[in-house]
């Protein structure tokens, strides 16, 4: 016993003696000598549980607005009022029984709605569908509005992106879309709505939410999410698109954000084929020096998605999308990992990286000789985000991807800032840059929570999300993420679009 004490005392004296000559020496010595751990158990626990704290603190220290910020952003063209209710509760109120799930590209009845809802609830995945029967939809909408706890919110990707952008006082926002009286009343007063966009009746979308672990019959939700459906003809035909483009000349935006293409899918192939061509012509009229961001949403028609890829993506500068949309995009275009039916759990970073690179190579300007404008993709999933950009076009992307992740962490919990006690880290700490060789082995440093890698002339910025343990509302999260990422992004001027 006394021998151990003597050795410890001598070692302490030696360390003290050397410390005066070399303050760095104790750390060098302690690498090789194991001393007793004098930390209290609570201190040890804090050090083990501090990854979320370290990441959140790093975000606050590292996220900064770009030198040149947008002063005017034009957003269009889908807008509506969201009626948010418990999915299981509403379906029970509609007197439908739980059963087996089955996906439907278009909903024609309560049974179709029930089957599609169960299909996606069991996967914990978001989806959006068109309800073809106007009278049946109105009956369901009335039941939803009267359901206890139903809430009304600003809805539609364009309106939600506009609302998020309007939280920045120096940013003027133009919103173009079918804006009815209720929606107009709910919009931020900083948002400008052209008179041509105002209409007498609101478009309503029903948002059926479910919680993580919620059960209905034999179906249990692995995570919180929502199922959206509507009978929305104005947004479905993108009827505000020409008004939107015409209003840009007077407004003179520095950035255009476009959404709502997914709404046309439910109108049938004949309509969307024609309308997509008209949309491409309308967007082509926007001045070439104004970048255009396209926000994608859930789709099921591979032909339609392929047409968007071939005709629309090359004429926009940036796109935002989630994991379902990214995989479906690859399936529609027979890209990397198209053989996968769905992601299993958290999407693999290496596979996501492969698909993002493929999109920029096939439909973007990763080749300097390409005439395509697409140079930026903002990918978001529950556990992490990736910004993939062609070199030379965008700046401040590390801050942009972190800002998007930070708003996902706070908004899902219904807060203005990240509350460490309410979030958890689910992102992988180690991953690869590609699913096939050659590939880099990469890791996340929580103190500098952006991992960067390059493939050719495309740079990838990865950051984790601190996932809200009990999310209050998932609708509009992707729109807030994309909006925040755009606010923190800077367009480089040396290579205009």
């Amino acid at each position: 016993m006394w021998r151990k004490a003597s050795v410890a005392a001598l070692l302490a004296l030696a360390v003290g003696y050397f410390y005066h000559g070399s303050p760095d020496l104790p750390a060098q010595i302690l690498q090789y000598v194991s001393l007793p751990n004098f930390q209290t158990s609570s201190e040890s626990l804090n050090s083990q549980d501090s990854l979320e704290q370290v990441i959140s603190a790093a975000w606050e220290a590292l996220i900064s607005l770009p030198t040149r910020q947008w002063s005017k952003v034009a957003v269009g063209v889908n807008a509506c009022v969201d009626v948010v209710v418990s999915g299981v509760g509403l379906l029970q109120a509609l007197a439908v029984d739980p059963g087996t799930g089955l996906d439907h590209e278009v909903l024609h009845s309560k049974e179709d709605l029930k089957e599609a809802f169960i299909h996606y609830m069991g996967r914990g995945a978001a989806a959006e569908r068109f309800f073809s029967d106007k009278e049946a939809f109105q009956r369901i909408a009335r039941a939803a509005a009267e359901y206890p706890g139903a809430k009304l919110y600003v809805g539609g990707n364009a309106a939600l992106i506009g609302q998020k952008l309007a939280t920045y006082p120096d940013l003027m926002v133009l919103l173009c879309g079918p804006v009815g009286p209720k929606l107009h009343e709910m919009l931020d007063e900083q948002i400008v709505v052209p008179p041509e966009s105002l209409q007498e009746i609101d478009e309503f979308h029903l948002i059926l939410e479910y919680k993580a672990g919620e059960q209905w019959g034999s179906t249990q939700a692995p995570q919180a999410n929502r199922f959206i459906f509507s009978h929305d003809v104005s947004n479905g035909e993108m009827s505000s698109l020409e008004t939107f483009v015409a209003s840009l000349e007077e407004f003179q935006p520095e950035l255009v954000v476009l959404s709502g293409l997914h709404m046309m899918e439910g109108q049938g192939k004949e309509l969307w084929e024609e309308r997509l061509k008209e949309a491409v012509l309308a967007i082509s009229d926007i001045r070439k020096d104004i970048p255009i961001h396209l926000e994608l949403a859930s789709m099921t028609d591979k032909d339609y998605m392929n047409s968007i890829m071939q005709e629309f993506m090359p004429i926009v500068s940036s796109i935002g999308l989630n994991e379902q949309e990214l995989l479906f995009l690859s399936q529609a275009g027979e890209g990397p990992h198209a053989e996968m039916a769905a992601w299993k759990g958290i999407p693999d970073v290496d596979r996501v990286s492969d698909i993002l690179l493929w999109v920029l190579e096939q439909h973007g300007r990763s080749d300097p000789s390409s005439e395509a404008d697409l140079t930026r993709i903002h990918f978001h999933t529950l556990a992490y985000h990736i910004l993939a950009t062609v070199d030379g076009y965008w700046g401040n992307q590390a801050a942009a991807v972190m800002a998007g992740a930070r708003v996902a962490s706070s908004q899902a919990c219904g807060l203005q800032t990240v509350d460490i006690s309410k979030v958890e880290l689910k992102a992988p700490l180690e991953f690869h840059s590609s699913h096939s060789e050659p590939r880099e082995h990469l890791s996340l440093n929580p103190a500098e929570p952006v991992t960067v890698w390059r493939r050719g002339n495309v740079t990838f910025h990865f950051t984790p999300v601190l996932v809200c343990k009990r999310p209050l509302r998932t609708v509009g999260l992707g729109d807030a993420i994309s909006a925040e990422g755009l606010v923190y992004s800077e367009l480089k001027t040396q290579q205009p679009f």
Side-chain angles (χ1 to χ4, degrees):
M1 184 76 180
W2 64 267
R3 284 180 183 172
K4 287 183 181 177
S6 301
V7 170
L10 284 169
L11 186 57
L13 283 170
V15 170
Y17 174 80
F18 283 114
Y19 181 76
H20 291 287
S22 173
D24 295 327
L25 199 56
Q28 296 164 14
I29 293 171
L30 293 174
Q31 284 181 353
Y32 301 98
V33 179
S34 176
L35 287 177
N37 185 354
F38 294 109
Q39 285 182 309
T40 65
S41 58
S42 65
E43 285 173 331
S44 299
L45 186 64
N46 287 340
S47 68
Q48 289 169 8
D49 292 349
S50 64
L51 275 181
E52 288 84 358
Q53 182 69 56
V54 172
I55 290 167
S56 181
W59 282 347
E60 296 309 314
L62 297 171
I63 296 172
S64 59
L65 285 161
T67 310
R68 287 190 315 113
Q69 297 170 45
W70 318 106
S71 61
K72 285 183 170 184
V73 180
V75 187
V77 292
N78 61 327
C80 64
V81 175
D82 281 344
V83 183
V84 182
V85 293
S86 158
V88 172
L90 177 63
L91 288 165
Q92 287 174 332
L94 293 171
V96 293
D97 296 321
T100 53
L102 179 65
D103 196 9
H104 295 274
E105 292 188 8
V106 176
L107 309 178
H108 301 290
S109 65
K110 281 194 302 185
E111 282 298 310
D112 286 358
L113 169 62
K114 175 197 76 173
E115 289 172 352
F117 175 79
I118 289 172
H119 175 83
Y120 284 99
M121 179 184 175
R123 289 161 174 74
E128 187 162 349
R129 295 290 179 268
F130 181 76
F131 199 103
S132 64
D133 187 325
K134 182 179 178 181
E135 286 73 26
F137 176 78
Q138 288 175 338
R139 285 195 297 273
I140 296 169
R142 276 195 297 273
E146 292 166 5
Y147 188 81
K151 295 183 176 70
L152 300 186
Y153 294 100
V154 170
N157 308 85
L160 286 163
I161 290 170
Q163 284 284 86
K164 186 62 190 173
L165 294 172
T167 61
Y168 290 85
D170 298 328
L171 187 52
M172 188 183 291
V173 180
L174 175 85
L175 172 65
C176 207
V179 177
K182 185 64 183 173
L183 178 58
H184 202 200
E185 174 193 314
M186 295 164 77
L187 288 173
D188 191 289
E189 51 191 44
Q190 201 171 306
I191 294 176
V192 178
V193 180
E196 299 84 359
S197 279
L198 298 173
Q199 59 182 43
E200 292 179 7
I201 301 170
D202 284 284
E203 298 286 358
F204 287 95
H205 287 205
L206 303 192
I207 319 291
L208 308 191
E209 291 199 319
Y210 49 85
K211 298 171 185 173
E214 187 170 359
Q215 188 139 3
W216 191 35
S218 60
T219 304
Q220 186 171 27
Q223 63 190 34
N225 222 315
R226 80 283 182 193
F227 182 86
I228 306 174
F229 68 105
S230 67
H231 178 85
D232 182 344
V233 178
S234 297
N235 284 308
E237 294 177 352
M238 291 187 80
S239 56
S240 300
L241 183 61
E242 283 76 9
T243 302
F244 178 51
V245 174
S247 65
L248 300 182
E249 193 171 340
E250 184 182 343
F251 185 68
Q252 293 290 301
E254 296 155 349
L255 170 68
V256 168
V257 180
L258 184 70
S259 61
L261 283 177
H262 63 287
M263 296 295 298
M264 291 201 290
E265 183 182 48
Q267 302 298 310
K269 186 169 184 177
E270 195 174 321
L271 186 142
W272 65 245
E273 266 188 338
E274 187 61 33
R275 194 71 184 107
L276 197 62
K277 288 173 186 168
E278 292 168 358
V280 169
L281 286 173
I283 294 302
S284 300
D285 287 341
I286 297 173
R287 279 198 351 244
K288 285 292 179 188
D289 61 331
I290 301 174
I292 302 166
H293 172 85
L294 173 64
E295 191 67 15
L296 291 174
S298 175
M299 286 178 260
T300 59
D301 187 320
K302 287 184 179 178
D303 289 341
Y304 184 52
M305 178 59 102
N306 213 28
S307 294
I308 289 172
M309 270 196 293
Q310 302 292 337
E311 299 171 38
F312 222 92
M313 280 189 191
I315 62 171
V316 302
S317 326
S318 167
I319 59 174
L321 76 179
N322 67 18
E323 73 276 16
Q324 274 101 29
E325 293 141 21
L326 183 75
L327 182 58
F328 186 63
L329 200 144
S330 188
Q331 290 167 344
E334 298 181 353
H337 315 298
E339 73 287 349
M340 289 173 56
W343 300 107
K344 293 175 183 174
I346 296 167
D348 310 305
V349 175
D350 51 9
R351 286 187 168 98
V352 168
S353 175
D354 290 344
I355 302 173
L356 292 173
L357 181 67
W358 170 76
V359 174
L360 287 170
E361 285 178 342
Q362 295 296 312
H363 308 288
R365 201 190 279 187
S366 67
D367 181 347
S369 64
S370 169
E371 293 182 4
D373 290 329
L374 181 63
T375 51
R376 177 183 184 272
I377 304 176
H378 191 163
F379 168 82
H380 51 87
T381 186
L382 181 74
Y384 65 85
H385 296 174
I386 295 176
L387 259 171
T389 51
V390 177
D391 295 341
Y393 292 93
W394 296 89
N396 210 43
Q397 294 301 278
V401 75
M402 286 188 285
R406 181 175 64 179
V407 82
S409 300
S410 58
Q411 188 166 308
C413 286
L415 302 170
Q416 296 298 314
T417 56
V418 178
D419 182 340
I420 295 305
S421 68
K422 296 182 177 179
V423 295
E424 58 186 329
L425 181 66
K426 289 189 172 184
L429 297 179
E430 296 194 0
F431 45 89
H432 291 98
S433 61
S434 173
H435 191 63
S436 55
E437 299 293 347
R439 60 182 186 168
E440 284 182 80
H441 180 266
L442 302 160
S443 60
L444 174 69
N445 174 7
E448 294 177 15
V450 177
T451 304
V452 182
W453 67 95
R454 293 188 67 202
R455 298 178 66 179
N457 62 342
V458 174
T459 299
F460 297 80
H461 290 83
F462 166 102
T463 200
V465 174
L466 299 178
V467 180
C468 186
K469 294 174 188 173
R470 291 185 176 84
L472 295 179
R473 186 165 180 253
T474 58
V475 176
L477 210 51
D479 303 309
I481 290 163
S482 286
E484 196 82 346
L486 287 167
V487 166
Y488 282 84
S489 291
E490 184 172 7
L491 184 67
K492 295 185 178 179
T493 53
Q494 69 266 31
Q495 294 189 36
F497 289 96

